[in-house]
Amino acid sequence: MGKAGRYRRRAAGAALLGLACVLGTVTTAPAQAPEERPDVRVVVDVSGSMRTNDPDRLAVSAMDLLVSLLPEGVSAGVWTFGETVDNPLPLGEVSEDWRERALSLPPALQDYQQYTDIEAALRQAAGAEANGWRHLILMTDGVIDLSPSRGAKPAIDRRSRQRLVEELAPALADQGVAIHAIAFSDEADLALVERLAQRTGGLASVATSPDGLLGAFLDILERIFPADRLPLEEGRFLVDDGVESLTALVFHEPGAPPLTLVAPDGSRYRAETAPDGVRWQVEPRFDLIRLPDPAPGEWRLEGPVGEKSRISVSSPWHLRTAPLPATLYRGFALPLEAWLARTPGAEALPEAPTLIASLRDLDGEVQASVTLEADDQGHFRGRLPAPALTGNARLVIRAEGEGFARQRSQAVNVLPAIGVAHDPAAGRVVLVAEHPRLNRDNTAIRGDLRGERLDAEAVGEARWHLPLPPLDEELSQPLLLTATLTLDGETRELRLPRLILNPDGRVGIGRADMAGPTLAAERFGATDDGTEPARPGPNLADRFVEAVNTAPARLRDWWQAGRPGLERLAARVRDDPRLWVGLTLAVLSLLILLLWRRRRRGGVAHSREEPHV
C-alpha cells in the first residue's frame, strides 16, 4: 500500500476513533470489577465464499470501525479463518499501538482460502484464557465448507455444523463465552448465525451495508459495555444538575445540512463555532460532540437526526439492571429488575423516579411496555408482556423524575418459543422447542384442522411430529396449533401462529420467523436416517468447462494471495490424486478431439471461429 493509501486509512481510523468516546463513560462506572472485565475477540471469515457474499469488502470496513469503537484498556484480539485458522493480532490491551496494528490488518483479511472451518475458528479463538467473560464477534457468510480431504461431502460439513451448535456452543456458554454473529449476506446460513448467538447469550444480525455494520457493532459493544443515556426524542434531550459530561453521537446521511446544537439559554452552536472545551467532530455519516459540564435544562438538535443517534452521559447516578437476556421468546413474558445506584458521596435524588420498560421494533414502535414497581430495597420489578413479533428488537428501560432522566437500551433477538415447519413429503408438521426450558415432559401440542383434533407425538427431547390427514392439493387450509405448558408448577396454553397448509409448497412455512433457527436450517423431504438424498455430481466435462470459466478469477486470486496462498494450493494439488486423474483425462480427451478434427478436415483449410465455452 502506498503512502497515500496508508494516510487515508490512518485518517479514517482517527475519525472512527472518536466513536470510542461514546463508550468511554463505561470506564468510569463501577459496574464491573477490574478482575471480571470482559475481553473481545474478533473472528473474521477469509474463505473463498466471502469473495462472493462480501463483494463490497465489508469485513475490511468492519475492522476499521470495530477497533476504533473499542474502549481503551479492553483486552482484544483478531483471528482469521478459512481452511486454517490464524491469529494475526494476538490478545492485547487496546491502546494507540494496538489500534495502529489492527488498522494494518486488511491484507490478511483478503488472503482468501478455499474452504471454511467455522468450528475450528471458534475453538481456537475461545481457547485463550481470560479474566472475565469472553465475547467472540464472528463475522462470516456463515457457510461451513470443509476440505474433501477430511471426508465425504456434504456429510462432513453437516457433522461439523451439528457439533458446533449442539456441543461447542453450549460448552462455550458454560465457560463464559458469548458469540455475537454478524452475517454479511442474505445468502448466509442465517439459521447457524442465529443459533450460535441464541445458545451462548449473544446477538445475531445481518449487515449488508456500512450503516448496517455500524449499527450491529454499536449494539454488540453496548451489550458488552453498557452505558447510561439521556432520552432523545425529536431532537430534544433534558440535562439534569448531576450530568458531568455528555457525548452526542448524531447519525445522518452523507451530504446532509450542518447540525446545530441549541443550549437551554438559546445559544446556538455549530462545529465551526463551538465554544472552548467542546470537541465537535464532523464525518460523512455522523457528528460526534463531546460537551463537558453542560448547563442543566432542555437542549435541542436542529438538523438531520438519525434513528440510531444517542446521548451518553457521565454522572454520579447510574441506572442498573439485573442481567438482560439477548434472546426473548414470543409468548413468554420477561421478568425485569432495575434500580438507580449512586457514587458514594453523591446527593440523593429529590424524589423517587418512575421506571418504565418497553420493547420496541426497529422502527421505534412500542410493542410491549410495563411500569416497574418499587420494593422496600429501592429496586423496581415487573414483567414485560410477551412479545408478539419475532426478529430484531430493542429493550429500553427508562427512569424519570422531576428534572431527571436516565435510559438503558439493549438490542435483543426475538424467536418463536416453538418453531413450526410443514413437511409435505412426509404428510406431517414438524415442531421444535426453541425456548430452552420446553421439552417433551412439560409440553403437549395439538392441532385443529377443519374442526378435527390432531395430537403431536414427541420424537425427541424437544421435537414433535404432528401427522396430517390426506389433503386436497388444490385447497390451502389453516392449521391451528396450541401448546399446553407446565412450568414452575403453573399450566398455561400457548397459541402458536396459524400455519397455512398447501402440499405443493406454494404456500408454506419455511420462514425463519415461524420455523425458528432450528427448523429453518433443515431440508424436508430427506431420507429417514436424516441424511440428504444423494445428488449427482458434475461429470468430467462439466468440471473441465467450469475450470475454464473460472480460470481468470482463480489466477487473480492466486496472485493476490501471494506465495503463502500458492504454497497452500500446491500442497492441496499434490495431496489430491483426483485432480491429477482429472487433468490426465482432460488432456487425453483434448488430444483425441484434435486428432479427430484433423482427420475430418483432410488437409482442407476452413474458416475458424473463436473458441468459446
Side-chain angles (χ1 to χ4, degrees):
M1 183 182 294
K3 291 182 178 179
R6 286 196 298 270
Y7 175 79
R8 284 193 297 270
R9 290 187 56 75
R10 291 180 180 179
L16 291 168
L17 179 60
L19 287 175
C21 300
V22 179
L23 300 168
T25 55
V26 252
T27 60
T28 62
Q32 192 171 33
E35 64 273 11
E36 297 178 351
R37 191 171 182 81
D39 64 23
V40 179
R41 307 175 185 201
V42 186
V43 188
V44 186
D45 192 337
V46 294
S47 64
S49 57
M50 284 287 285
R51 184 188 300 107
T52 301
N53 292 333
D54 184 24
D56 298 324
R57 301 296 186 265
L58 290 178
V60 176
S61 301
M63 187 55 55
D64 288 350
L65 179 61
L66 183 61
V67 300
S68 301
L69 283 172
L70 291 172
E72 292 282 338
V74 172
S75 178
V78 177
W79 282 256
T80 61
F81 70 95
E83 182 177 4
T84 60
V85 183
D86 297 311
N87 184 200
L89 186 59
L91 275 174
E93 184 176 307
V94 174
S95 61
E96 291 296 334
D97 178 67
W98 187 94
R99 296 183 199 277
E100 189 71 20
R101 285 183 287 133
L103 290 174
S104 67
L105 285 179
L109 303 184
Q110 299 178 69
D111 183 13
Y112 293 115
Q113 301 177 28
Q114 186 172 355
Y115 299 106
T116 313
D117 194 344
I118 298 178
E119 180 187 357
L122 294 179
R123 287 186 187 276
Q124 291 194 32
E129 292 296 326
N131 290 328
W133 271 82
R134 284 160 282 176
H135 290 265
L136 273 57
I137 301 179
L138 173 65
M139 297 187 288
T140 180
D141 59 0
V143 179
I144 295 177
D145 181 21
L146 304 182
S147 169
S149 64
R150 297 170 58 176
K153 294 175 72 69
I156 55 170
D157 299 336
R158 190 164 52 244
R159 286 195 296 269
S160 176
R161 190 183 192 279
Q162 185 176 7
R163 286 193 303 270
L164 188 55
V165 172
E166 298 181 5
E167 299 175 15
L168 182 59
L172 293 180
D174 291 340
Q175 300 166 22
V177 178
I179 299 175
H180 308 277
I182 302 175
F184 285 116
S185 167
D186 290 331
E187 300 300 320
D189 186 346
L190 302 181
L192 173 63
V193 165
E194 202 166 36
R195 292 189 77 188
L196 289 174
Q198 173 198 14
R199 297 208 167 192
T200 61
L203 292 173
S205 60
V206 178
T208 57
S209 67
D211 286 343
L213 273 176
L214 179 59
F217 288 143
L218 286 173
D219 287 343
I220 291 172
L221 291 181
E222 280 192 336
R223 180 158 194 86
I224 302 173
F225 309 105
D228 283 354
R229 295 191 202 170
L230 298 181
L232 176 62
E233 296 178 351
E234 298 182 349
R236 300 173 182 270
F237 57 96
L238 181 66
V239 175
D240 57 83
D241 292 330
V243 173
E244 298 167 345
S245 65
L246 68 81
T247 300
L249 176 59
V250 185
F251 292 103
H252 51 70
E253 293 295 326
L259 189 70
T260 300
L261 179 64
V262 183
D265 63 1
S267 301
R268 305 172 66 84
Y269 305 108
R270 285 192 174 182
E272 63 275 10
T273 61
D276 293 340
V278 176
R279 295 174 55 186
W280 193 316
Q281 180 178 332
V282 180
E283 297 296 333
R285 295 183 179 275
F286 65 86
D287 278 31
L288 183 67
I289 309 169
R290 295 197 68 188
L291 186 64
D293 195 22
E298 184 181 79
W299 290 71
R300 189 170 75 253
L301 291 166
E302 292 183 353
V305 180
E307 291 181 2
K308 293 184 180 296
S309 301
R310 60 202 65 193
I311 310 294
S312 303
V313 296
S314 175
S315 79
W317 283 95
H318 315 285
L319 179 59
R320 295 286 180 259
T321 67
L324 299 174
T327 301
L328 308 183
Y329 296 92
R330 183 171 51 199
F332 279 78
L334 176 66
L336 292 171
E337 179 183 2
W339 64 96
L340 283 163
R342 58 175 174 167
T343 302
E347 295 183 1
L349 288 175
E351 63 175 30
T354 300
L355 270 69
I356 299 175
S358 61
L359 183 69
R360 306 181 184 185
D361 60 24
L362 295 184
D363 294 327
E365 296 294 326
V366 176
Q367 301 296 318
S369 66
V370 62
T371 299
L372 306 183
E373 300 294 333
D375 61 18
D376 54 4
Q377 302 297 320
H379 284 210
F380 295 76
R381 305 174 190 272
R383 292 175 64 86
L384 183 71
L389 302 176
T390 59
N392 298 113
R394 187 165 295 279
L395 180 61
V396 179
I397 299 179
R398 182 167 173 170
E400 288 187 326
E402 183 66 32
F404 171 89
R406 291 290 183 276
Q407 181 172 292
R408 281 287 176 96
S409 178
Q410 296 274 280
V412 294
N413 300 130
V414 183
L415 298 179
I418 299 176
V420 185
H422 181 204
D423 184 0
R428 66 193 180 193
V429 170
V430 181
L431 305 103
V432 169
E434 295 291 354
H435 194 290
R437 297 190 61 194
L438 299 185
N439 55 58
R440 63 188 302 165
D441 296 326
N442 59 23
T443 304
I445 303 173
R446 68 180 185 274
D448 184 312
L449 182 64
R450 304 190 307 269
E452 179 183 357
R453 178 184 171 117
L454 306 173
D455 291 313
E457 176 187 1
V459 295
E461 181 65 21
R463 180 181 287 256
W464 296 261
H465 287 168
L466 190 147
L468 296 172
L471 300 174
D472 185 345
E473 296 183 0
E474 301 301 322
L475 181 64
S476 296
Q477 304 176 54
L479 174 65
L480 306 180
L481 294 165
T482 304
T484 302
L485 318 175
T486 303
L487 291 174
D488 303 322
E490 178 185 351
T491 299
R492 68 184 184 94
E493 288 192 345
L494 175 65
R495 294 190 178 275
L496 307 183
R498 185 175 61 171
L499 174 62
I500 302 299
L501 299 174
N502 190 333
D504 64 9
R506 290 175 307 199
V507 179
I509 174 77
R511 297 187 318 224
D513 61 338
M514 296 178 70
T518 302
L519 291 177
E522 297 186 14
R523 297 179 181 179
F524 296 103
T527 55
D528 291 339
D529 61 0
T531 61
E532 294 181 70
R535 301 178 183 177
N539 57 34
L540 178 61
D542 293 336
R543 290 197 297 268
F544 181 71
V545 170
E546 182 182 2
V548 171
N549 286 331
T550 59
R554 290 187 177 183
L555 287 173
R556 182 188 67 243
D557 296 337
W558 293 341
W559 175 257
Q560 290 177 348
R563 181 177 175 182
L566 293 175
E567 289 176 350
R568 288 192 297 268
L569 174 65
R572 286 196 293 268
V573 171
R574 183 183 65 246
D575 297 335
D576 194 346
R578 291 174 298 179
L579 293 177
W580 291 106
V581 173
L583 181 60
T584 301
L585 292 175
V587 171
L588 289 175
S589 300
L590 183 60
L591 289 174
I592 292 172
L593 178 63
L594 291 174
L595 289 173
W596 176 75
R597 291 190 56 159
R598 183 173 181 179
R599 178 172 295 180
R600 183 179 179 185
R601 288 177 179 176
V604 180
H606 296 277
S607 61
R608 182 177 67 88
E609 294 182 358
E610 290 299 319
H612 63 280
V613 177

